[in-house]
């Protein structure tokens, strides 16, 4: 088991390296960079002094060097203007657009993104599991049809529309202020119980909105998986032992049907980040989604690169967690054996 | 005193109308005795077992009849039909007083729970054992079913065990609460013969220890002859005949039972099998026979080795390979039927498929006679390869999955002709009709689709397809093992007629020695990828030399009360371990399996005798 964990961890290093190279390559694909665009603009206006400053910045951030060197300086495996000073050393880069270090730009929204992601995944799993089990064990019942209908509705309704409707209802019924992360009056106040409650109540709508599609898909899949397993011979064996139907379903087929869902944890994360951009804009949430979009548009490459890399790291961690959970739950994976003939 | 008294039981399935699977069946199971329910597929024999256990699917109902279960402990009698299937009363009996052993040991245990957990569960459910007591009781049960290392076995998962050990675990699970009745539904059908014999012995030993009655549901008369005190023969949901097994085997009354007993191949059969529904193949002139003269070598397999990669080598892990066929050499003579016999994993199918050039061998050569010379089939390319494919055709094991459900019978049989561009569309049409008559099928069926044909009919379509190109050689991979006894006889007779009339050469792969004995001219016995014995059929069967062949022969249950299995001679799984064979047969891993000619034409793998006789196959 320890060897397995170590092997998985060791496998992450080259993966991360290749991902970072790809990210850097892709965000540099558009011609020019933020500074050259600025320089040509300033030159057109004849402001030589500013141009000199920007030229200095270009050298400072190694933008005048060849691609691989630029990449090396960014990651921190190639000496830049000030020696080794890149992501590996904890310097996350400079945002040209905001004129601030990338860390300062994203620090608040990163935390919120992680919290929102976590809440959404939790929501997806908590809602879809009981419904999926119910639908599978009572196939073709009214309840099954009802949940199926709701599920397709959840898949079909555009997220932003659902978001607007829910915002309106929350405001009408519970008096929660529209949009944002908290009620406006808490904006500049220090953290307090009321402020926390306000944040939590504002998290409800985005969690549901971002989670519905995933929930609906997961209910369908759990239902199908569990239906497959319910007809297996080992379920009959357990029934022949005299187990109660309820205990039986929870102990045997559900355990087996669980695997694809655990394997999915890692895959959910990137889709939640990229899928939540529109929702974040509509609901006026300061997550990294809109920031990433802006950074890509203005070629603020270090900001965009860092956010993409951050999502990649989250994904890899998610994958690692799901792999470890799978190994813990499924002895066939843990012991890594084929069945003897 | 009867543990189980089934009176006039009727079970109906309600899918597209009402279908009576069991139609007024009555029988009794005396305390501590074994009653066999025998029948072909679709006879309703498994449904009876499910009805007793309360495990019928929800579409099945019991409109009539009683299932009276009398517990020998307190002599209380319950009518199981009246109990709600998922009610507490039924659950108290199920798994506790009546237990069940299933057919497929591979799928009937949960892959994610240790066998200790799964076996002990019955004790925790019914006898209020705590985890520790249940664990101790489980260990005791595993010892009873003769697990090699019960302590260790508690924490193993099913996929770590062989099929035989899984079935032992299954039996331990059924015995956990010392039931009064065990329903064994084809308990050995999925197992190899040597393991089957051990499991049968175990069932008898356990019965002697615990004293439960056994309801043995099976289609195999060999198993019945060795296990049952009484026999109930069912056909289409009705009892055809029932009685003590002595009377059933020695003085059968009902024509169906008589016919069934005649259709079972046994050793030393000289007469022809009599199928229940005979067919009349039209063996009229059918293409030119093979140009190689009968009895002359046609195919030469020389030191064939095939390795499969189980796991690709990757980051920090080594690749794992498995040698499916290890230095096997034999020849196939024109016009003969060479039977390749072995248990699962012996490499018999791999060897046969290598001859078909389904893949390239890892090393070694396979040569085919071409005119006066020999041609290595590995060198065949393009046109030559197509011509070779025309000469050698395959009959598959499973007639259900080997026919495309979306093609009519006409298309199925005609497809080889289209692929190889033989004849004109008109001549093909006639040819396909001839083929149908050749295998005794009505040409009117040509427009049907496979799903509307029975298993035997489908297998005959498969044979017709294989014969479409007028091959010299037919590779038959377990062609009858998926078929019922009555149909099996029909197909075996067809194959033997075709061979004689069309002077075909067969490579006949089977795990069933009696079937091979019926059809083969020579037999090759394989074990763990090695050829261990090769010779004339009679010589191998009557004068077996190799310990593995002997073990195989003693393990086949014969449908004959006077030839019971010799349970004392069973070797507890050591027969198929080459390293455990006695000298001079012992084969350590990596050693060359050298064949020695003991008698003219009768070869045995005995590396220990090599210095004495240099001549190998």
């Amino acid at each position: 088991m320890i060897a397995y964990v170590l092997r998985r961890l060791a496998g992450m290093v080259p993966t991360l390296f290749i991902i970072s190279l790809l990210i850097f390559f892709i965000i540099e694909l558009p011609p020019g960079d933020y500074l050259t665009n600025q320089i040509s603009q300033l030159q057109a206006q004849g402001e030589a002094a500013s141009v000199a400053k920007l030229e200095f910045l270009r050298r400072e951030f190694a933008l005048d060097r060849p691609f691989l060197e630029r990449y090396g300086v960014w990651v921190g495996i190639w000496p830049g203007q000030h020696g080794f000073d890149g992501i590996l050393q904890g310097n996350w880069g400079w945002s040209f657009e905001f004129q601030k270090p990338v860390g300062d730009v994203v620090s608040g929204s990163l935390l919120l993104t992680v919290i929102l992601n976590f809440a959404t995944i939790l929501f997806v799993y908590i809602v879809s599991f009981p419904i999926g089990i119910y639908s599978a064990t009572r196939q073709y019942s009214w309840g099954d049809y009802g949940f199926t209908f709701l599920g397709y509705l959840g898949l079909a309704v555009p997220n932003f529309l659902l978001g607007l409707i829910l915002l309106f209802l929350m405001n009408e019924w519970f008096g929660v202020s529209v949009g944002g992360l908290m009620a406006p009056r808490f904006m500049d106040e220090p953290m307090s119980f009321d402020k926390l409650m306000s944040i939590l109540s504002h998290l409800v709508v985005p969690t549901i909105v971002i989670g519905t599609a995933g929930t609906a898909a997961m209910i369908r899949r759990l239902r199908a998986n569990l239906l497959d397993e319910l007809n297996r011979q080992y379920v009959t064996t357990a029934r022949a032992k005299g187990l109660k139907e309820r205990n039986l379903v929870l102990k045997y087929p559900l355990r087996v049907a669980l695997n694809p869902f655990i394997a999915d944890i890692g895959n959910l994360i990137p889709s939640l980040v990229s899928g939540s951009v529109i929702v974040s804009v509509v609901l006026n949430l300061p997550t990294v989604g809109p920031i990433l979009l802006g950074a890509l548009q203005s070629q603020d490459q270090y900001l965009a690169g860092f956010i993409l890399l951050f999502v990649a790291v989250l994904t890899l961690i998610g994958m690692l967690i799901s792999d470890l959970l799978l190994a813990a739950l499924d002895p066939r994976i843990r012991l890594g054996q084929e069945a003897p003939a | 005193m009867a543990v189980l008294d089934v009176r006039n039981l009727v079970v109906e399935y309600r899918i597209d109308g009402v279908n009576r699977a069991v139609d007024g069946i009555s029988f009794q199971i005396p305390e501590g005795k074994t009653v066999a329910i025998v029948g072909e597929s679709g006879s309703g024999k498994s449904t009876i077992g499910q009805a007793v256990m309360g495990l019928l699917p929800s579409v099945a109902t019991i409109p009539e009849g009683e299932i009276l279960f009398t517990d020998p402990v307190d002599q209380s009698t319950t009518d199981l039909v009246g109990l709600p299937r998922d009610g507490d009363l039924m659950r108290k009996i199920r798994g506790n007083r009546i237990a069940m052993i299933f057919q497929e040991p591979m799928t009937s245990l949960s892959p994610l729970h240790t066998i200790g957990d799964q076996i002990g569960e019955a004790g925790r459910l019914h006898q209020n054992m705590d985890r520790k007591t249940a664990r101790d009781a489980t260990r005791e049960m595993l010892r009873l079913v003769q697990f090699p290392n019960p302590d260790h076995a508690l924490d193993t998962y099913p996929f770590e065990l062989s099929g035989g050990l899984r079935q032992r675990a299954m039996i331990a699970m059924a015995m956990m609460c010392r039931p009064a009745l065990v329903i064994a539904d084809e308990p050995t059908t999925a197992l190899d013969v040597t393991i089957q014999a051990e499991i049968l012995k175990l069932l008898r030993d356990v019965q002697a220890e615990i004293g439960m009655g056994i309801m043995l549901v099976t289609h195999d008369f060999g198993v019945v002859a060795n296990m049952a005190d009484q026999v109930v023969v069912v056909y289409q949901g009705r009892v055809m005949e029932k009685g003590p097994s002595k009377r059933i085997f020695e003085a059968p009354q009902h024509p169906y039972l008589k016919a069934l007993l005649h259709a079972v191949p046994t050793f030393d059969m000289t007469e022809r099998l009599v199928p229940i529904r005979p067919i009349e193949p039209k063996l009229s002139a059918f293409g030119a026979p093979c140009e190689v003269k009968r009895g002359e070598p046609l195919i030469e397999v020389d030191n064939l080795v095939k390795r499969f990669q189980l796991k690709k080598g990757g980051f920090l892990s080594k690749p794992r390979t498995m040698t499916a066929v290890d230095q096997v050499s034999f020849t196939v003579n024109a016009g003969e039927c060479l039977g390749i016999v072995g248990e699962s994993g012996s490499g018999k199918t791999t060897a046969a498929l290598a001859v078909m050039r389904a893949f390239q061998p890892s090393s070694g050569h396979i040569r085919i006679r071409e005119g006066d010379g020999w041609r290595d089939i590995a060198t065949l390319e393009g046109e030559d390869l197509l011509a070779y494919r025309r000469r050698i055709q395959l009959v598959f094991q499973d007639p259900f999955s080997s026919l495309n459900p979306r093609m009519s019978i006409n298309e199925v049989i005609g497809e080889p002709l289209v692929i190889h561009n033989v004849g004109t569309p008109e001549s093909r049409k006639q040819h396909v009709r001839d083929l149908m008559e050749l295998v005794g099928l009505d040409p009117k069926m040509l427009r049907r689709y496979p799903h509307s044909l029975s298993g035997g009919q489908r297998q005959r379509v498969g044979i017709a397809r294989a014969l479409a190109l007028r091959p010299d050689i037919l590779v038959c991979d377990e062609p009858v093992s998926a078929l019922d006894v009555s149909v099996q006889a029909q197909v075996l007779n067809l194959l033997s007629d075709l061979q004689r009339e069309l002077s075909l050469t067969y490579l006949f792969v089977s795990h069933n020695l009696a079937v091979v004995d019926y059809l083969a001219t020579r037999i090759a016995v394989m074990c763990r990828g090695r050829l261990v014995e090769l010779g004339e059929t009679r010589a191998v069967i009557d004068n077996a030399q190799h310990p593995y062949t002997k073990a195989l022969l003693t393990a086949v249950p014969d449908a004959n009360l006077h030839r019971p299995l010799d349970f004392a001679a069973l070797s507890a799984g050591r027969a198929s371990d080459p390293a455990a064979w006695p000298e001079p047969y012992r084969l350590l891993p990596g050693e060359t399996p050298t064949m020695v000619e003991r008698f003219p034409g009768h070869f045995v793998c005995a590396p220990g005798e090599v210095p004495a006789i240099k001549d190998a196959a």
Side-chain angles (χ1 to χ4, degrees):
Chain A
M1 191 66 193
I2 294 170
Y4 177 76
V5 176
L6 286 179
R7 207 164 58 222
R8 281 294 284 103
L9 281 172
M12 279 171 71
V13 175
T15 316
L16 210 53
F17 176 73
I18 292 167
I19 290 177
S20 65
L21 193 62
L22 271 177
I23 288 174
F24 198 74
F25 176 70
I26 289 170
I27 53 176
E28 284 217 338
L29 271 184
D33 53 57
Y34 186 85
L35 290 176
T36 45
N37 291 351
Q38 289 279 314
I39 289 169
S40 51
Q41 214 174 339
L42 289 176
Q43 271 170 344
Q45 294 162 4
E47 293 190 37
S50 303
V51 171
K53 188 191 166 210
L54 289 172
E55 286 290 359
F56 166 76
L57 276 177
R58 257 176 77 79
R59 263 198 311 284
E60 180 76 11
F61 291 106
L63 288 178
D64 51 349
R65 303 215 200 158
F67 173 77
L68 278 179
E69 271 185 49
R70 284 201 302 275
Y71 168 75
V73 173
W74 177 55
V75 176
I77 49 175
W78 194 270
Q81 208 66 353
H82 307 288
F84 291 98
D85 187 21
I87 289 173
L88 284 178
Q89 285 79 26
N91 177 4
W92 294 352
W94 179 265
S95 164
F96 302 113
E97 173 111 46
F98 293 92
Q99 302 281 339
K100 277 199 282 192
V102 167
D104 293 352
V105 177
V106 295
S107 61
S109 51
L110 274 187
L111 184 68
L112 180 73
T113 308
V114 172
I115 292 173
L116 191 60
N117 265 325
F118 187 72
T120 309
I121 291 178
L122 220 57
F123 170 79
V124 167
Y125 278 66
I126 288 175
V127 174
S128 60
F129 264 82
I131 297 180
I133 296 170
Y134 175 89
S135 290
T137 48
R138 287 172 188 71
Q139 197 191 2
Y140 303 137
S141 65
W142 281 106
D144 179 24
Y145 284 127
F147 283 126
T148 304
F149 178 71
L150 279 181
Y152 281 127
L153 218 58
L155 277 175
V157 173
N159 274 346
F160 67 88
L161 184 65
L162 188 65
L164 288 178
I165 295 172
L166 282 180
L167 275 186
F168 173 74
L169 292 181
M170 286 290 275
N171 185 259
E172 281 286 291
W173 294 345
F174 303 108
V176 176
S177 64
V178 173
L181 183 60
M182 59 195 92
R185 62 193 166 91
F186 292 117
M187 273 306 195
D188 298 317
E189 277 190 29
M191 191 51 116
S192 65
F193 180 75
D194 286 341
K195 181 172 176 175
L196 186 71
M197 289 317 286
S198 174
I199 293 179
L200 285 181
S201 63
H202 278 80
L203 270 179
V204 171
V205 174
T207 305
I208 294 175
V209 171
I210 301 170
T212 31
T215 311
M218 189 155 278
I219 290 173
R220 299 307 298 163
R221 282 176 50 207
L222 180 63
R223 179 176 175 274
N225 276 342
L226 200 54
L227 278 177
D228 276 353
E229 294 300 325
L230 281 174
N231 290 323
R232 292 288 161 93
Q233 183 64 47
Y234 66 84
V235 178
T236 313
T237 309
R239 204 170 283 141
K241 242 184 281 186
L243 264 180
K244 274 191 188 155
E245 199 63 27
R246 187 193 170 83
N247 300 351
L248 184 154
V249 171
L250 292 183
K251 179 167 179 184
Y252 292 105
L254 185 62
R255 260 291 289 276
V256 182
L258 221 54
N259 277 8
F261 301 97
I262 299 170
D264 238 27
I265 296 176
N267 294 335
L268 273 175
I269 293 169
S271 66
L272 289 177
V273 171
S274 50
S276 67
V277 174
I278 296 176
V279 177
S280 295
V281 172
V282 172
L283 303 184
N284 189 22
L285 284 176
T287 62
V288 289
I291 300 180
L292 172 62
L293 192 64
L296 287 173
Q297 277 166 342
S298 61
Q299 287 192 342
D300 194 353
Q301 62 181 37
Y302 292 125
L303 182 58
F306 176 75
I307 294 174
L308 287 175
L309 198 60
F310 178 74
V311 174
V313 170
L314 271 190
T315 310
L316 281 182
I317 291 174
M319 294 279 195
L320 178 71
I321 291 172
S322 58
D323 277 1
L324 294 182
L325 276 178
L326 274 181
L329 280 176
D330 192 335
R332 288 171 298 186
I333 295 170
R334 181 166 68 240
L335 302 172
Q337 263 178 325
E338 306 90 18
Chain B
M1 188 63 229
V3 191
L4 193 74
D5 188 356
V6 177
R7 290 183 188 168
N8 193 27
L9 180 70
V10 176
V11 181
E12 286 178 347
Y13 282 89
R14 291 175 191 278
I15 317 167
D16 306 330
V18 178
N19 174 18
R20 283 206 168 187
V22 175
D23 192 0
I25 278 185
S26 308
F27 64 93
Q28 293 188 331
I29 299 179
E31 199 182 326
K33 297 284 183 195
T34 304
V35 175
I37 312 284
V38 198
E40 300 183 273
S41 53
S43 63
K45 56 184 194 300
S46 292
T47 306
I48 302 172
Q50 289 171 355
V52 175
M53 286 296 280
L55 289 177
L56 286 171
S58 53
V59 289
T61 54
I62 306 180
E64 273 178 64
E66 293 174 304
I67 301 173
L68 300 177
F69 170 68
T70 308
D71 198 330
V73 176
D74 51 7
Q75 297 298 331
S76 62
T77 302
T78 329
D79 183 2
L80 300 179
V81 173
L83 299 182
R85 279 179 212 166
D86 268 327
D88 283 339
L89 286 173
M90 189 69 226
R91 269 211 319 276
K92 265 192 192 126
I93 293 175
R94 192 196 289 158
N96 184 18
R97 304 311 301 150
I98 308 179
M100 192 153 180
I101 299 165
F102 295 93
Q103 172 175 358
E104 277 283 342
M106 301 289 161
T107 54
S108 46
L109 294 168
S110 159
L112 299 185
H113 299 83
T114 61
I115 62 165
D117 177 15
Q118 294 185 62
I119 297 171
E121 196 173 31
R124 294 204 305 277
L125 272 173
H126 298 292
Q127 302 187 335
N128 292 323
M129 294 182 184
D130 56 36
R131 286 198 172 264
K132 190 179 173 308
T133 344
R135 204 174 153 83
D136 292 339
T138 306
R139 191 179 297 122
E140 207 42 53
M141 273 300 139
L142 288 173
R143 197 164 289 136
L144 179 73
V145 297
Q146 295 152 24
F147 249 75
N149 186 352
D151 274 316
H152 175 70
L154 281 172
D155 295 317
T156 51
Y157 291 92
F159 63 87
E160 296 174 278
L161 302 173
S162 67
L165 281 182
R166 284 184 220 193
Q167 199 62 322
R168 274 169 202 270
M170 191 77 217
I171 294 174
M173 191 191 292
M175 295 303 144
M176 188 66 186
C177 300
R178 301 191 166 249
L181 177 68
V182 167
I183 298 168
D185 189 354
E186 305 266 12
T188 56
T189 307
L191 302 173
D192 280 323
V193 268
T194 50
I195 295 160
Q196 160 168 299
E198 281 164 28
I199 294 294
L200 293 180
K201 173 177 185 288
L202 176 69
L203 271 176
R204 289 193 9 166
D205 292 350
V206 172
Q207 188 178 29
E209 164 95 19
I210 293 183
M212 76 284 185
I214 299 180
M215 176 172 154
L216 182 69
V217 179
T218 182
H219 70 281
D220 186 339
F221 275 99
V223 172
V224 175
N226 280 285
M227 296 292 291
D229 300 301
Q230 291 184 33
V231 183
V232 180
V233 182
V234 288
Y235 178 67
Q236 297 204 333
R238 299 209 178 117
V239 176
M240 294 293 115
E241 188 163 348
K242 61 182 171 185
S245 45
K246 196 171 164 58
R247 205 178 72 216
I248 292 288
F249 280 99
E250 288 171 3
Q253 302 295 317
H254 198 282
Y256 173 74
L257 174 60
K258 280 188 199 168
L260 213 52
L261 285 172
H262 278 293
V264 185
T266 52
F267 289 122
D268 307 333
M269 269 192 86
T270 42
E271 74 271 36
R272 201 174 147 85
L273 289 174
V274 187
I276 289 187
R277 288 171 286 274
I279 49 167
E280 280 181 24
K282 261 173 113 180
L283 302 163
S284 48
F286 187 73
C290 174
E291 57 186 40
V292 179
K293 254 205 277 163
R294 216 166 243 244
E296 301 219 335
L298 181 62
I299 295 176
E300 225 178 53
V301 176
D302 181 14
N303 253 325
L304 177 72
V305 178
K306 179 68 196 173
R307 281 185 212 92
F308 289 108
Q309 202 167 49
L310 293 180
K311 202 177 154 193
K312 270 199 174 155
F315 195 64
L316 295 177
S317 61
K318 275 187 209 149
R320 283 221 303 272
T321 58
M322 190 264 278
T323 309
V325 174
D326 191 4
Q327 304 174 53
V328 165
S329 306
F330 58 84
T331 54
V332 186
N333 300 327
E336 79 166 344
C337 171
L338 177 69
I340 304 184
V341 189
E343 298 183 289
S344 51
S346 62
K348 55 187 191 304
T349 300
T350 311
L353 290 181
V355 172
M356 296 226 37
R357 219 190 109 166
F359 43 74
Q360 294 283 15
S362 306
S363 72
H365 301 280
I366 298 169
R367 297 184 200 92
I368 174 101
R369 183 78 165 263
E370 263 186 1
D372 290 329
W374 291 90
R375 177 88 188 256
D376 190 333
I377 65 164
T379 64
L380 295 170
E381 285 301 333
E383 269 306 307
D384 292 348
L385 183 60
L386 267 183
Y388 181 69
R389 298 248 184 262
R390 276 197 287 276
R391 286 184 75 183
I392 184 160
Q393 289 284 313
L394 178 65
V395 178
F396 293 90
Q397 167 170 12
D398 185 357
F400 294 89
S401 59
S402 60
L403 301 181
N404 185 339
R406 286 184 181 79
M407 281 166 87
S408 69
I409 303 304
N410 190 26
E411 288 170 307
V412 168
I413 300 182
E415 196 181 27
L417 301 170
V418 177
I419 292 173
H420 289 269
N421 208 4
V422 178
T424 61
E426 287 74 37
S427 73
R428 276 178 211 154
K429 217 179 255 176
Q430 187 53 44
H431 193 60
V432 170
R433 294 178 73 84
D434 290 347
L435 284 164
M436 285 291 274
E437 292 187 350
L438 184 71
V439 296
L441 287 173
D442 189 344
K444 280 185 202 139
M445 286 184 178
L446 279 174
R447 289 165 69 182
R448 292 219 216 148
Y449 285 83
H451 66 87
S452 63
L453 268 55
S454 71
Q457 287 172 334
R458 285 184 221 202
Q459 194 59 303
R460 281 187 274 154
V461 169
I463 293 172
R465 173 175 60 184
L467 290 173
L469 294 167
R470 188 58 188 92
D472 297 335
I473 307 149
L474 218 49
V475 175
C476 305
D477 186 8
E478 304 261 15
V480 294
S481 58
L483 304 175
D484 274 322
V485 184
S486 57
V487 184
Q488 181 178 319
Q490 193 191 57
V491 172
L492 285 177
N493 281 344
L494 174 67
L495 284 171
S496 103
D497 291 346
L498 288 172
Q499 185 193 19
R500 199 181 52 246
E501 296 297 322
L502 309 177
S503 53
L504 290 168
T505 306
Y506 285 167
L507 200 56
F508 193 92
V509 178
S510 179
H511 70 282
N512 188 334
L513 271 168
V515 165
V516 173
D517 179 36
Y518 181 68
L519 217 58
T521 350
R522 290 192 305 147
I523 293 184
V525 184
M526 289 186 70
C527 178
R528 302 269 175 101
R530 279 82 164 234
L531 185 64
V532 299
E533 189 156 356
L534 174 69
E536 298 285 327
T537 301
R538 289 266 56 85
V540 172
I541 302 272
D542 297 337
N543 186 20
Q545 297 292 311
H546 198 276
Y548 177 69
T549 315
K550 287 182 188 166
L552 266 189
L553 283 167
T554 49
V556 178
D558 212 342
N560 184 339
L561 288 179
H562 302 293
R563 292 178 55 171
L565 281 179
D566 184 3
F567 286 126
L570 295 177
S571 48
R574 291 159 56 83
S576 49
D577 179 8
W581 288 333
E583 288 294 348
Y585 306 103
R586 192 191 312 278
L587 254 181
L588 298 171
E591 209 171 331
T592 314
T594 319
M595 300 295 282
V596 171
E597 190 167 12
R598 278 270 172 88
F599 305 99
H602 189 165
F603 299 90
V604 182
C605 174
E609 279 179 26
V610 175
I613 313 165
K614 265 277 175 228
D615 187 30

